[in-house]
Amino acid sequence: MVWKNAIKTKKLKPGKTKMVTLGIKTLMIGQFEDEYFATEGLCRHMRWPLAWGGKIKDGCIRCPLHQTTHHIDDGSLVEWSPFPLLPAYGKILGKLSKPKDLKVYQTRVEGDYIQVQLDQS
Ligand code: FES
């Protein structure tokens, strides 16, 4: 396990998220209730970049495309492709891939940076 600099703390505003690329991984870094968090950056449903319009509410990240929702503390799945505008369509789209949890990463602040713990060297 190694800690990698992900983004400078001053570049991340409270309640906002950013996409970050570390090696071959794309991550979403964010701040929720004074805590930083990091998850894999692409929605588990159809790989939409979650920081591009994803909403954080009640401790969850909701993808803007079909509203798949995961807890940001442990990545557990809350709702898979409900797509409230057209639920029948969302159900069909939901079957295009298996429901999955979102990978989450440990974070810490070191100097000016938010660091993320990765399982690669
Ligand atoms: S791509 Fe995110 S919910 Fe479909």
Side-chain angles (χ1 to χ4, degrees):
M1 300 290 227
V2 293
W3 289 96
K4 298 273 190 184
N5 288 343
I7 188 171
K8 285 192 168 185
T9 52
K10 69 181 181 187
K11 293 202 168 187
L12 191 62
K13 305 281 186 256
K16 299 292 182 191
T17 58
K18 292 271 189 184
M19 298 299 287
V20 172
T21 302
L22 294 177
I24 60 168
K25 293 185 186 299
T26 302
L27 306 180
M28 176 181 65
I29 312 288
Q31 187 180 7
F32 177 68
E33 293 181 347
D34 298 331
E35 298 281 333
Y36 293 113
F37 66 88
T39 72
E40 61 182 296
L42 304 178
C43 179
R44 295 307 313 261
H45 178 227
M46 292 175 75
R47 315 306 286 164
W48 181 263
L50 287 168
W52 297 0
K55 297 278 183 249
I56 298 172
K57 187 178 175 193
D58 299 330
C60 297
I61 177 73
R62 175 168 274 222
C63 177
L65 249 58
H66 315 106
Q67 281 78 51
T68 289
T69 305
H70 291 88
H71 289 286
I72 54 176
D73 58 348
D74 65 0
S76 59
L77 178 64
V78 176
E79 214 172 5
W80 187 254
S81 186
F83 201 50
L85 281 177
L86 291 167
Y89 183 60
K91 199 170 180 179
I92 291 167
L93 289 178
K95 291 182 177 174
L96 295 177
S97 59
K98 283 188 178 173
K100 306 165 204 77
D101 291 341
L102 191 67
K103 186 163 177 55
V104 296
Y105 298 89
Q106 295 292 314
T107 61
R108 71 179 183 187
V109 174
E110 195 71 23
D112 293 340
Y113 283 90
I114 300 164
Q115 293 187 328
V116 177
Q117 191 176 41
L118 300 177
D119 55 3
Q120 65 177 34
S121 56

